[in-house]
Structures are given as C-alpha cells and as structure tokens.
C-alpha cells in the first residue's frame, strides 16, 4: 500500500487457465502524493488519466492522457500539489512487452 493512493481492482490477473495474464484497476491519488519509483514488469503498463493529473521524470500528464509504458520503464510519479488524480491502469495483454529471453 502506498500512502495517499487508493486502489480498486477491476479485473484480476489470472494465468491459471493458460490465458495471457491481464489486470485492470483504478487508482485514486490524493493531492501531493509521491509514489516510490517502480519498475514496470514484464507485461507492460497502460495508464489513462481519468481526472486530475500527475508528473513523472518524462513529463506531465492531465485528464484524457494515455501512457503505454514498456517493460523496464521506471515510473517515479507524483500528483499535483493542488489536485490529486484518478488513473485507470492495465497490465498484461501486451505480447510485445515480454522480452525474448522470457519466452
């Protein structure tokens, strides 16, 4: 758990039936929330900014922005000091995101 971030799972990652794993969730960040740096895992990560905005080392993202982050990307993000943000996140479902060494 990250202080200032609420998470609600929408679709769980389940590889038990030999299907490609996927997970979808909502994150609601309070204003001035700083997350610890996190390396994107082997399934990649998509983020859609539903409301508010956040920044990371690559730029600033606002309502309506969509990010598609590859395996190995380091997400070091924080919400604005005046408003938080709501993010729709998805990992899995990216065949290109799995390095050849994993196959």
């Amino acid at each position: 758990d990250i202080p200032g971030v609420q998470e609600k799972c929408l679709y769980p990652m389940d590889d038990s039936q030999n299907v490609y794993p996927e997970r979808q969730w909502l994150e609601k960040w309070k204003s001035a929330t700083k997350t610890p740096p996190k390396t994107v895992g082997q399934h990649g990560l998509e983020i859609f900014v539903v409301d508010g905005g956040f920044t990371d080392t690559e730029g600033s993202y606002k309502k309506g922005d969509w990010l598609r982050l590859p395996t190995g990307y380091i997400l070091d993000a924080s919400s604005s000091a005046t408003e938080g943000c709501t993010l729709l996140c998805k990992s899995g479902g990216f065949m290109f995101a799995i390095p050849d060494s994993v196959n």
Side-chain angles (χ1 to χ4, degrees), residues 42-56:
Q42 73 176 10
H43 301 293
L45 177 64
E46 281 183 282
I47 300 173
F48 179 76
V49 183
V50 177
D51 197 26
F54 76 97
T55 60
D56 77 354

Side-chain angles (χ1 to χ4, degrees), residues 2-102:
I2 300 170
V5 177
Q6 291 179 315
E7 185 178 305
K8 178 175 176 58
C9 184
L10 302 174
Y11 183 81
M13 190 171 271
D14 181 7
D15 202 15
S16 64
Q17 297 176 355
N18 200 25
V19 296
Y20 196 77
E22 181 175 306
R23 181 171 181 255
Q24 297 175 12
W25 67 98
L26 282 172
E27 289 185 0
K28 186 163 182 82
W29 297 17
K30 291 182 178 179
S31 60
T33 296
K34 171 83 172 110
T35 63
K38 179 182 177 185
T39 302
V40 173
Q42 73 176 10
H43 301 293
L45 177 64
E46 281 183 282
I47 300 173
F48 179 76
V49 183
V50 177
D51 197 26
F54 76 97
T55 60
D56 77 354
T57 56
E58 298 294 319
S60 296
Y61 311 99
K62 62 187 180 325
K63 181 179 179 176
D65 286 344
W66 174 50
L67 291 80
R68 195 166 196 187
L69 307 175
T71 299
Y73 183 90
I74 298 174
L75 184 62
D76 186 6
S78 59
S79 61
S80 102
T82 58
E83 65 178 345
C85 61
T86 302
L87 309 175
L88 175 61
C89 304
K90 175 186 172 189
S91 70
F94 305 129
M95 294 304 289
F96 71 86
I98 301 176
D100 290 339
S101 61
V102 176

